[in-house]
Amino acid sequence: MPDIAFGTSQRIILHLDMDRFYASVEMRDRPKLRRKPVVIGADPNHGKGRGVVATCSYEARAFGIRSAMPISQAFVLCPHAVFLSPDFSRYVKASADVMAILKTHGFPLQQVSIDEAFLDVSRLGTFPAATDLAVRIKDTILTRLGLTCSIGLAPTKVVAKLASEVHKPDGLIVVEPENLFSFLAPMPVRKIPGIGKKSEADLFDIGIRTIRDLAAFDIQVLIARFGRSAIALQDLAAGIDRSEVKEREGVKSVSRETTFTNDTDDEHLIAVTIDALAEEVCRNLSDESLHCRTVTVKVRYQGFVTKTKARTFPHYTGDPVTLRTCAHSLIRDIFDGRKIRLLGIRLSSFDTCDALQMTLGV
Ligand code: TTP
Ligand code: CA
């Protein structure tokens, strides 16, 4: 039976998150970029570019640039930044190198994204021992790979993840059981996984702003207003989180999407774009030695209406021709003649769980 976290937990969870990951790989490999505002993402095209920012250096963040921001806005904020298109194969390699270092310690490992993983280091027995390990991991990643990361150590996964965020870059925050609640209490409720913009606004309406407010609120009132899910949210607010580090939860999908420079209904351009996207996702699939069963095509029309259509094969395949042909047939099924803004392809249902979830959209 897993421990409950608050106060009595014996669990020690380590969460590692690489700092400004894609930008760090670029700056490591091209020293001239260091200390400069570097933006990885779509082509800004002198301010007319239509994709988004994948990530950026902290120097670029000082100008207000953020992940997922339109690249045109990033260009306005800092026109003299160095804008680079992503080179995913190098990020995937760096990610694999980081995960290999984490694996050497023999603790249960759950990779949750390209640059993020949990380790269950409870076996070490004490937080000071776990802290020593965290220092060693940070040191190894820096000396062997030339990259920095931030680590959180805590009795639960949710708190370990929050802890890794608070002191970026190159952070190490340890939240021992007795400090769990004082760590969580002042944070905005939005920090709790499962509370998005909408729930945050609903909670604000009844005067709940911080995690402390949520933990102390009458649960019956919360249930009446938000349903049974309020119980789990209040548990998380009290530091109770029984979720375990799941070793085999890895890759769920490999995807790639692109925004057209001008919205288009040109069938030739659409077909060529599908070819290029298919080639890229198939390359990622083969880099990771994966086979998949499901192909999903996504179309965003002018006005942002988005449609997806998927097909699942009875057998696993890594064959680029099969996957590309499938993508073409899916796009024929959903293309209704309207002008398209964005096209994407996702491959999923893998035959191995050894890799990572990657959304390679810019
Ligand atoms: P994050 O860990 O969210 O961000 P980061 O590593 O760039 O920065 P931080 O130091 O704050 O952790 O994402 C990891 C990588 O995933 C990021 O380097 C690029 C990619 N990514 C996108 O492509 N689009 C996105 O919207 C986000 C958030 C990340
Ligand atoms: Ca990161």
Side-chain angles (χ1 to χ4, degrees):
M1 175 78 185
D3 302 312
I4 69 156
F6 192 12
T8 55
S9 173
Q10 297 306 305
R11 290 202 301 155
I12 307 176
I13 309 296
L14 183 154
H15 180 260
L16 176 143
D17 184 283
M18 301 302 294
D19 299 324
R20 41 156 152 58
F21 185 51
Y22 295 0
S24 297
V25 173
E26 297 297 348
M27 291 191 285
R28 172 193 70 182
D29 297 347
R30 297 189 237 182
K32 275 193 190 145
L33 297 178
R34 287 181 200 160
R35 287 180 293 282
K36 292 201 174 146
V38 175
V39 180
I40 318 292
D43 178 358
N45 191 18
H46 309 288
K48 295 195 213 87
R50 291 163 36 101
V52 294
V53 173
T55 193
C56 60
S57 64
Y58 295 115
E59 290 78 0
R61 291 181 197 192
F63 289 87
I65 300 175
R66 296 286 180 272
S67 290
M69 172 183 277
I71 200 77
S72 52
Q73 193 182 344
F75 188 81
V76 171
L77 290 170
C78 186
H80 65 278
V82 181
F83 288 90
L84 299 174
S85 30
D87 178 354
F88 298 112
S89 57
R90 276 165 47 243
Y91 314 146
V92 168
K93 165 78 170 68
S95 169
D97 291 344
V98 170
M99 298 304 150
I101 288 173
L102 291 180
K103 273 185 198 147
T104 56
H105 296 278
F107 295 102
L109 168 83
Q110 179 182 352
Q111 183 173 356
V112 283
S113 76
I114 192 163
D115 79 330
E116 205 187 329
F118 290 101
L119 284 182
D120 185 335
V121 300
S122 307
R123 187 152 49 76
L124 289 172
T126 67
F127 274 87
T131 308
D132 286 349
L133 174 71
V135 170
R136 284 208 306 282
I137 289 173
K138 282 168 66 69
D139 194 51
T140 311
I141 291 176
L142 183 60
T143 49
R144 288 210 204 137
L145 307 181
L147 297 170
T148 63
C149 63
S150 295
I151 289 183
L153 276 171
T156 73
K157 283 171 75 177
V158 167
V159 179
K161 184 167 163 65
L162 291 172
S164 72
E165 280 170 19
V166 292
H167 203 243
K168 263 182 170 295
D170 202 15
L172 171 55
I173 294 286
V174 183
V175 183
E176 298 210 27
E178 59 271 29
N179 301 326
L180 192 63
F181 195 63
S182 56
F183 174 79
L184 284 176
M187 291 191 173
V189 275
R190 184 74 191 274
K191 290 281 180 186
I192 294 179
I195 299 188
K197 260 194 194 147
K198 164 93 176 61
S199 316
E200 183 188 38
D202 292 345
L203 290 167
F204 270 30
D205 282 349
I206 52 171
I208 297 179
R209 282 179 165 56
T210 63
I211 293 184
R212 176 187 286 108
D213 297 338
L214 178 57
F217 212 83
D218 183 336
I219 188 64
Q220 297 309 331
V221 177
L222 287 177
I223 292 173
R225 203 160 164 134
F226 302 100
R228 307 290 302 169
S229 63
I231 300 173
L233 292 180
Q234 195 175 51
D235 276 355
L236 290 177
I240 299 169
D241 159 29
R242 297 179 179 83
S243 61
E244 293 180 36
V245 173
K246 295 190 204 85
E247 278 205 82
R248 297 205 56 78
E249 195 172 285
V251 166
K252 295 201 179 77
S253 63
V254 173
S255 56
R256 181 82 174 102
E257 55 188 47
T258 192
T259 309
F260 289 107
T261 311
N262 297 304
D263 297 344
T264 186
D265 53 8
D266 175 343
E267 289 185 24
H268 176 67
L269 179 60
I270 293 167
V272 172
T273 307
I274 287 284
D275 282 345
L277 292 169
E279 190 187 322
E280 200 149 351
V281 284
C282 288
R283 189 153 8 97
N284 290 138
L285 196 71
S286 106
D287 284 351
E288 294 303 310
S289 315
L290 294 168
H291 284 178
C292 68
R293 287 204 302 136
T294 304
V295 181
T296 307
V297 164
K298 168 166 143 187
V299 175
R300 178 167 300 148
Y301 289 105
Q302 237 171 15
F304 274 79
V305 175
T306 305
K307 302 264 182 234
T308 60
K309 181 150 192 186
R311 179 165 308 150
T312 298
F313 299 111
H315 304 293
Y316 291 105
T317 178
D319 175 38
V321 177
T322 309
L323 296 169
R324 191 179 63 219
T325 308
C326 178
H328 279 289
S329 116
L330 289 169
I331 189 77
R332 275 197 300 275
D333 287 351
I334 49 172
F335 178 48
D336 63 9
R338 273 183 293 168
K339 288 205 170 190
I340 294 179
R341 178 180 172 87
L342 171 149
L343 267 181
I345 299 181
R346 184 168 77 238
L347 304 179
S348 56
S349 315
F350 297 128
D351 64 343
T352 163
C353 301
D354 263 340
L356 42 145
Q357 180 171 3
M358 295 184 292
T359 295
L360 306 178
V362 285

